[in-house]
Amino acid sequence: MSAARPLEPPAPSLFEAVACYCCGSDSRSDFITAEDDLTGKPGTFRFVRCESCGLVYQHPRIVIERITDYYDDEYIAHRKKTDWGVLTPLYEHVMGKHDRDKDRTVSRYVTLDAHSEVLDVGCAVGTFLQRIRQRHGSRVCGVDFKDLRGHASLEGVDFRQGLFYEQDLGSERFDLVTMWHFLEHDYDPRRTLAKASAVLKQSGRLVIEVPRLDSVSFKLYGDRWPGLQAPQHTTLYDKQSLLRMVERAGFEVIDYLPYGSFPAYFYLFSGAAFRVLKGKGLNLSKAIYPYFAGQLALTPVLLFEKQLNLAMQTVVCGKR
Ligand SMILES: [Zn+2]
């Protein structure tokens, strides 16, 4: 699908050992082995459970300098609008709903207006920030490790390219900091959370959404669970380890939601596809018709998405 796809599994020299991201222990046991089911790149990736605190994380991991090879143009969050061809209007409708749901979630915890400042960490092409800017008039800032400048959806967004904790963003500045499916990719979540605390106003809110390991979809799909997303996902959080991580970083948990803005159905569909494809990679353009057909069929289940603990979780934090 892409010229950038490596043809060989990653060489052992591209991996490095890593201690537990939460407690620093290097005592661990095997948890699960995964493949890159989404793009079908070769290689197997190992997740372990920390014997000290219970966090599940990838060990060894690909060195940070080479993980970008796994975020090529097929990576869904980075896709340009036009990549979807005739399905572009449908795709935009779905993504629009996604951003509306994020807005609805954060608006329960913060009142945003023209005086507010909002930061999105791992902002991709910035559609969420664009919505916040247009609907609430807030000043918006986004960080992503990919250089995505030039995207129309980043217009008016103070976009920073690079690692979040290396950015100069001032202190106690933001009313809202969001991390939508960012923390599970992070190579240094403790440093990220410390930085988030430093840039957040005392009354501000940090909203984090990640896949939920102790969910129905993981029980269904096991080593083909889309939330494994190897090798990009460094950590796999269950409810307990997510709460422990933010509390250790000095945050107070304001609320916990057993769902997210990202559609659980995406995991239900792609997990089933990954089971069939067995690591050959999912061609999203070909899968799009079955995708929407399945969504229609599962409508009765998806009406109860927020009650069923299907795939995602969100934690809302404040400063102590
Ligand atoms: Zn640990």
Side-chain angles (χ1 to χ4, degrees):
M1 283 192 285
S2 160
R5 176 195 287 202
L7 296 172
E8 300 290 329
S13 62
L14 296 183
F15 286 93
E16 63 183 0
V18 55
C20 175
Y21 292 87
C22 185
C23 76
S25 166
D26 54 11
S27 154
R28 56 181 81 91
S29 53
D30 281 334
F31 180 72
I32 213 163
T33 299
E35 294 182 271
D36 184 352
D37 283 305
L38 190 58
T39 70
K41 291 188 180 80
T44 53
F45 307 94
R46 184 175 154 227
F47 289 91
V48 296
R49 186 186 282 282
C50 172
E51 297 212 314
S52 170
C53 78
L55 178 70
V56 174
Y57 60 99
Q58 200 179 151
H59 166 87
R61 68 181 181 188
I62 302 259
V63 294
I64 197 164
E65 295 78 18
R66 295 304 296 275
I67 195 67
T68 47
D69 298 351
Y70 291 87
Y71 288 89
D72 58 27
D73 288 341
E74 287 167 31
Y75 196 66
I76 193 162
H78 296 148
R79 287 187 75 129
K80 297 187 194 91
K81 284 179 179 182
T82 46
D83 287 355
W84 296 96
V86 294
L87 293 164
T88 299
L90 189 56
Y91 174 73
E92 283 181 3
H93 173 77
V94 170
M95 293 310 280
K97 180 180 186 309
H98 188 189
D99 290 326
R100 288 193 295 279
D101 287 346
K102 289 177 179 175
D103 185 4
R104 197 172 297 134
T105 297
V106 300
S107 295
R108 286 163 58 186
Y109 304 97
V110 276
T111 307
L112 296 174
D113 59 27
H115 303 288
S116 312
E117 290 214 65
V118 177
L119 169 68
D120 189 23
V121 181
C123 68
V125 294
T127 56
F128 166 67
L129 289 173
Q130 195 57 248
R131 178 178 171 87
I132 294 295
R133 178 175 165 260
Q134 289 177 2
R135 209 172 82 88
H136 306 284
S138 311
R139 276 173 291 170
V140 292
C141 178
V143 183
D144 205 281
F145 77 90
K146 268 196 116 167
D147 187 1
L148 298 161
R149 279 172 300 181
H151 282 269
S153 46
L154 282 168
E155 198 189 322
V157 177
D158 176 8
F159 177 80
R160 314 289 183 93
Q161 190 231 326
L163 293 169
F164 166 54
Y165 42 71
E166 290 177 353
Q167 304 301 313
D168 183 8
L169 295 163
S171 70
E172 305 219 342
R173 170 181 159 192
F174 294 98
D175 301 275
L176 172 67
V177 176
T178 53
M179 297 179 186
W180 308 109
H181 290 260
F182 172 81
L183 204 64
E184 73 274 28
H185 296 253
D186 199 344
Y187 271 56
D188 199 345
R190 280 188 296 184
R191 196 169 165 197
T192 289
L193 293 171
K195 176 77 175 183
S197 177
V199 301
L200 196 63
K201 279 184 188 164
Q202 189 58 39
S203 59
R205 292 289 178 261
L206 168 67
V207 177
I208 300 171
E209 179 181 326
V210 292
R212 183 170 174 180
L213 184 59
D214 51 334
S215 64
V216 169
S217 56
F218 177 70
K219 287 189 188 84
L220 271 175
Y221 299 128
D223 66 356
R224 299 289 179 194
W225 184 50
L228 300 175
Q229 206 176 315
Q232 298 101 325
H233 284 184
T234 53
T235 40
L236 308 175
Y237 295 97
D238 57 20
K239 178 182 180 182
Q240 201 183 29
S241 57
L242 178 64
L243 296 183
R244 188 183 292 118
M245 186 66 117
V246 296
E247 282 169 347
R248 273 195 179 225
F251 286 99
E252 175 193 5
V253 174
I254 306 285
D255 204 358
Y256 174 86
L257 311 172
Y259 57 89
S261 306
F262 191 89
Y265 173 68
F266 184 83
Y267 273 24
L268 295 176
F269 174 83
S270 47
F274 294 169
R275 276 279 186 95
V276 173
L277 294 164
K278 297 191 190 336
K280 286 201 281 285
L282 177 64
N283 184 329
L284 287 164
S285 309
K286 280 188 184 162
I288 204 121
Y289 294 106
Y291 183 86
F292 287 109
Q295 187 165 30
L296 209 58
L298 277 182
T299 299
V301 174
L302 298 172
L303 283 173
F304 297 96
E305 177 167 346
K306 290 180 178 174
Q307 286 81 39
L308 293 173
N309 182 27
L310 294 176
M312 306 297 161
Q313 57 183 339
T314 307
V315 65
V316 181
C317 310
K319 283 170 79 160
R320 280 212 195 99

